[in-house]
């Protein structure tokens, strides 16, 4: 059994950093490609997740005090929850006014 | 005390499984046609992320990730989908235009992925000489001493967000 390579896999920051970059890329793709507001919201959540994973990786491997990154990621989660609440209420208000939540049709102010 | 046989290999297998869950969840969330599958992909991605947080020595954040993202955020988005019924029909966009814009967005995403991963892998990170304790008790003490101001302010932000969400959703109702 190759113990060294197994330890290298999850005991090294590389895999976590690549996964965080991948999550960020997926979020960017979804944000560009989605046609509805809720789809864009989901892509934004993916970007939040990428930021949290990056913070946690650097916190675990390179920070002298590991509580800092964990506290910061907790705050990120709280802000993401607040953002979801506000954004979904805006989406529902838009749906009541326009009968659609496609981002192309929401194109006028003070409807 | 004898070690469990093949413990590092089993841990590596579990780690790989969580990596696969995270990546496939993100792919489902970004690529699926129907929006409800996208939410399920987001939930899957967050479960995998919680496993990765566990591997990063913070089981507290792993539990919070599942509690907040899977339990609150994804369920709230599902409620939003049920109330606003977005049917993502492909109309008003021809097949070739969809192909062109899709490949453009894919190109931008791939460029971000390659640039970010190359940047973060090539940078010479410095390991710290000494490390403090990162347990749940230490997080609690830090939240109530060093970060007490930020802690209070974020509770205020959450309160204002809830009130604002209620007000915005009610205005739309009275107008129709």
């Amino acid at each position: 059994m190759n113990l060294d390579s197994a330890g290298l896999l999850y005991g090294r920051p590389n895999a976590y950093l690549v996964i965080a970059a991948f999550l960020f890329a997926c979020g960017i793709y979804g944000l560009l490609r989605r046609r509805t507001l809720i789809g864009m919201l989901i892509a934004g959540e993916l970007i939040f997740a990428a930021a949290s994973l990056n913070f946690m990786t650097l916190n675990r491997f390179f920070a002298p005090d590991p509580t800092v990154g964990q506290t910061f990621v907790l705050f990120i989660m709280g802000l993401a929850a607040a953002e979801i609440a506000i954004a979904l209420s805006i989406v529902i208000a838009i749906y009541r006014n326009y009968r659609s939540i496609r981002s192309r049709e929401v194109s006028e102010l003070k409807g | 005390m004898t070690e469990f046989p093949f413990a590092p290999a089993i841990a590596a297998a579990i780690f790989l499984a969580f990596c696969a869950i995270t990546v496939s969840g993100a792919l489902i969330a970004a690529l699926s046609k129907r929006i409800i599958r996208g939410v399920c992909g987001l939930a899957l991605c967050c479960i995998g992320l919680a496993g990765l947080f566990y591997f990063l020595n913070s089981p507290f954040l792993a539990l919070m990730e599942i509690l907040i993202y899977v339990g609150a955020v994804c369920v709230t988005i599902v409620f939003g989908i049920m109330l606003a019924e977005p049917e993502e029909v492909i109309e008003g966009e021809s097949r070739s235009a969809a192909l062109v814009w899709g490949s453009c967005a894919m190109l931008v995403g791939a460029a971000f992925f390659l640039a970010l991963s190359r940047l973060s892998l090539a940078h010479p990170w410095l390991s710290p000489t000494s490390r403090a304790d990162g347990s749940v008790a230490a997080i609690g003490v830090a939240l109530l001493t060093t970060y007490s101001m930020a802690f209070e302010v974020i509770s205020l932000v959450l309160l204002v967000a809830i009130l604002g969400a209620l007000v915005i959703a009610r205005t739309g109702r009275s107008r129709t």
Side-chain angles (χ1 to χ4, degrees):
Chain A
M1 220 4 81
N2 193 348
L3 297 185
D4 277 343
S5 70
L8 283 185
L9 204 56
Y10 56 86
R12 285 289 199 85
N14 295 354
Y16 303 101
L17 290 173
V18 169
I19 289 180
F22 182 78
L23 287 183
F24 183 76
C26 278
I28 291 286
Y29 174 81
L31 213 55
L32 289 175
R33 194 69 193 120
R34 287 286 188 194
R35 290 285 180 268
T36 62
L37 294 173
I38 292 185
M40 294 162 89
L41 204 62
I42 292 173
E45 286 305 308
L46 277 183
I47 294 180
F48 270 122
S52 312
L53 184 58
N54 216 335
F55 265 112
M56 282 302 300
T57 308
L58 297 184
N59 174 55
R60 158 76 175 80
F61 292 105
F62 306 116
D65 185 6
T67 56
V68 179
Q70 301 190 41
T71 317
F72 202 90
V73 171
L74 266 184
F75 286 156
I76 290 181
M77 285 180 190
L79 284 181
E83 177 237 349
I84 281 290
I86 290 285
L88 275 178
S89 71
I90 291 176
V91 164
I92 287 173
I94 286 176
Y95 179 72
R96 289 213 177 100
N97 283 333
Y98 287 86
R99 289 285 137 197
S100 161
I101 61 164
R102 304 186 61 195
S103 51
R104 180 172 292 179
E105 291 168 15
V106 187
S107 60
E108 57 186 38
L109 295 173
K110 198 160 173 69
Chain B
M1 180 176 157
T2 62
E3 199 171 280
F4 192 75
F6 308 120
I10 294 174
I14 296 174
F15 175 74
L16 282 181
F18 277 126
C19 288
I21 289 175
T22 311
V23 168
S24 59
L27 281 178
I28 294 172
L31 296 176
S32 64
K33 283 270 182 287
R34 288 189 164 275
I35 207 83
I36 189 80
R37 290 184 194 150
V39 182
C40 294
L42 181 66
L44 203 64
C45 176
C46 288
I47 289 175
L49 209 60
L52 291 186
F53 282 175
Y54 200 88
F55 271 95
L56 286 171
N57 275 353
S58 57
F60 174 60
L61 274 187
L63 287 180
M64 290 309 276
E65 176 86 16
I66 289 182
L67 195 71
I68 294 179
Y69 272 95
V70 184
V73 168
C74 288
V75 171
T76 318
I77 295 178
V78 168
F79 270 110
I81 290 172
M82 284 195 288
L83 286 175
E85 50 178 314
E87 288 181 10
E88 198 152 359
V89 276
I90 317 292
E91 56 173 53
E93 189 182 47
S94 64
R95 206 171 168 75
S96 59
L99 202 67
V100 168
W101 290 118
S103 52
C104 275
M106 193 79 86
L107 211 64
V108 173
F112 268 109
F113 172 59
L114 289 179
L116 273 182
S117 50
R118 187 163 185 277
L119 194 68
S120 54
L121 289 186
H123 190 273
W125 302 102
L126 294 177
S127 289
T129 50
S130 68
R131 289 180 63 83
D133 175 33
S135 63
V136 180
I139 297 174
V141 169
L143 271 181
L144 291 181
T145 54
T146 317
Y147 304 105
S148 58
M149 183 67 192
F151 190 66
E152 295 300 327
V153 169
I154 205 164
S155 63
L156 205 64
V157 166
L158 281 173
L159 176 70
V160 171
I162 293 169
L163 289 180
L166 287 176
V167 167
I168 291 172
R170 258 195 80 80
T171 340
R173 172 176 301 202
S174 64
R175 204 173 280 168
T176 49

